[in-house]
Amino acid sequence: MAPAEPNHKPFQIQGEEPYFAEEREGWKGYVEWENYPEKKKQAQQILSKYDFPVPPEFQFEPLPKTNPILEGIRWKYYHYAMGPTLKDLPDISWKYVQKEKSPDMIHVLQFPYNGEPPRDRLVKTKITPNEDFFVRNHGGVPEIDADKFFFEVEGLIHEYPGDGDELINAPWAEGAIGNARWTGVSLKKVIKYCGGLKDGGKHVEFFGADTYFKKGSIYNYAVSVPYRKVKIHEVMLAWDMNGKPLPRIHGYPLRVVVFGFIGARSCKWLYKINVIGQPSLAPVQMKEYIYYTPQIGKHNNTYSNGFSIQTMPVSSAIMTPLNHDPIIHDGRIKLTGWAFSGSGWPERVEVGGDGGSIWYEVPFEKMSKKVYYAWRVWEYEMPVDAEGWLEFCVRTWDNALNASPLTQPTYVRSAWNWDLHVTSSAHRIKVYSINRTKPATTKRLKQ
Ligand SMILES: Nc1nc2c(c(=O)[nH]1)N[C@H]1C(S)=C(S)[C@@H](COP(=O)(O)O)O[C@H]1N2
Ligand SMILES: [Mo]
């Protein structure tokens, strides 16, 4: 088995161990950074003393067949370097993975934990069970007692320091999606209750209690959404997930859920809401989740030549069979998958058996019911005569006929973006077809 990450030296504290206090009783693993510029500076100085292991360049070499695929050594070391209040978080977070997630999750990154469920099971149910719901973390899991919990609402404008960095390299696949029933309150009501918006309030910024490292600097997780989205009751503060209290790993005791937007805006472990006059200047907002045009690559990307992603584009994926599966069949291969659109719902799903020249419509009765901002799972019996390697693909049309050209782009290269964020071109898999309706094949199989 290939090592999940390049060789590295064990971590060793240099000099005196720092101590960054937890300020709130019953809020373990939450260190407030945003209120203390001097403390951030101190952390930055500490970080600059170390030679942290480099990130694995998985784009340029095959992924190891390990689970976790990647361990996240660098991020663990960042936390170890910050002293007693953060150094146990990698272990604590992993404990919650074991406690709250299915044992057969695909752990794409152990720390910060990033994981998705097995593909076949994910699209078998319309509602994704909490144990199977994908997890996307940028830091450790804070342990917040519900009876000690509160959150702050502030505004209007807060100045932000900001210094960015590259992505946490988590090799996500098609399972980073789920559909849950959330219980909570519309953020609009909360803001109204607190006295309503002042003139100039345009974006609502959320702060999460986890610690976020970016290019040698330290932050709390922070993102924002336009107030327009709040106004139409599409931003929820949620405390229940599928009728149960939020699991720790999904943001207990309170998280944001923004319907139709990329997951990054749905801030977990919410402790502060701040109304500001422009999008958040925090690094997750300004330096991550950015779309670049196809001309932008590793050699020339800057944060300012991309634009911020908010609404999810129309997207879909084939979840079974898996890429490179050999399939013995009798002239039909069953495909299953999901379809989603951040601007409404998937209206029509089409699958191709030949790489995308001819498309078949998934029949209406083979798609789950449409629900505003929910995915639709689907299945299709693909007629297959040919044998050997075939390329299956899927594309979806949503209610606004998004995206260009009228549906999803056929090839990844037509809408390629550096970082490959929410890449929405037709998803494709290659399978090896072995057709039993061919007498010669049946004979061969018997042999
Ligand atoms: N505080 C905090 N909130 C966060 C994140 C995070 O790392 N910290 N990750 C975001 C991202 S990028 C996604 S996709 C979703 C994932 O939600 P889930 O882990 O509950 O599936 O949480 C979002 N909210
Ligand atoms: Mo995300």
Side-chain angles (χ1 to χ4, degrees), residues 379-425:
E379 56 177 71
Y380 187 70
E381 297 276 343
M382 172 84 75
V384 176
D385 184 57
E387 295 195 287
W389 287 108
L390 300 177
E391 193 171 55
F392 292 162
C393 47
V394 60
R395 70 181 185 187
T396 292
W397 307 61
D398 78 358
N399 54 313
L401 295 189
N402 286 324
S404 163
L406 292 183
T407 175
Q408 293 175 244
T410 308
Y411 299 103
V412 67
R413 294 213 64 87
S414 17
W416 186 86
N417 75 92
W418 169 246
D419 283 350
L420 293 177
H421 274 315
V422 285
T423 295
S424 61
S425 58

Side-chain angles (χ1 to χ4, degrees), residues 136 263-264 289:
R136 166 70 166 131
Y289 303 99

Side-chain angles (χ1 to χ4, degrees), residues 3-4 32 38 60 78 123 131 137 151 163 181 197 243 285 287 291 301 303 318 341 363 365 405:
E32 172 57 39
E38 333 74 59
F60 305 117
Y78 288 163
V123 289
E131 306 75 57
N137 286 343
F151 68 94
D163 204 30
R181 190 170 276 124
L197 225 57
Q285 190 79 17
K287 293 169 177 171
Y291 260 142
N301 86 88
Y303 296 121
I318 300 166
S341 168
E365 65 280 6

Side-chain angles (χ1 to χ4, degrees), residues 134-138 210 221 250 255 263-264 266 268-269 289:
F134 81 96
V135 176
R136 166 70 166 131
N137 286 343
H138 292 72
D210 46 337
Y221 187 92
H250 289 292
R255 79 172 297 170
S266 292
K268 303 189 270 191
W269 311 291
Y289 303 99

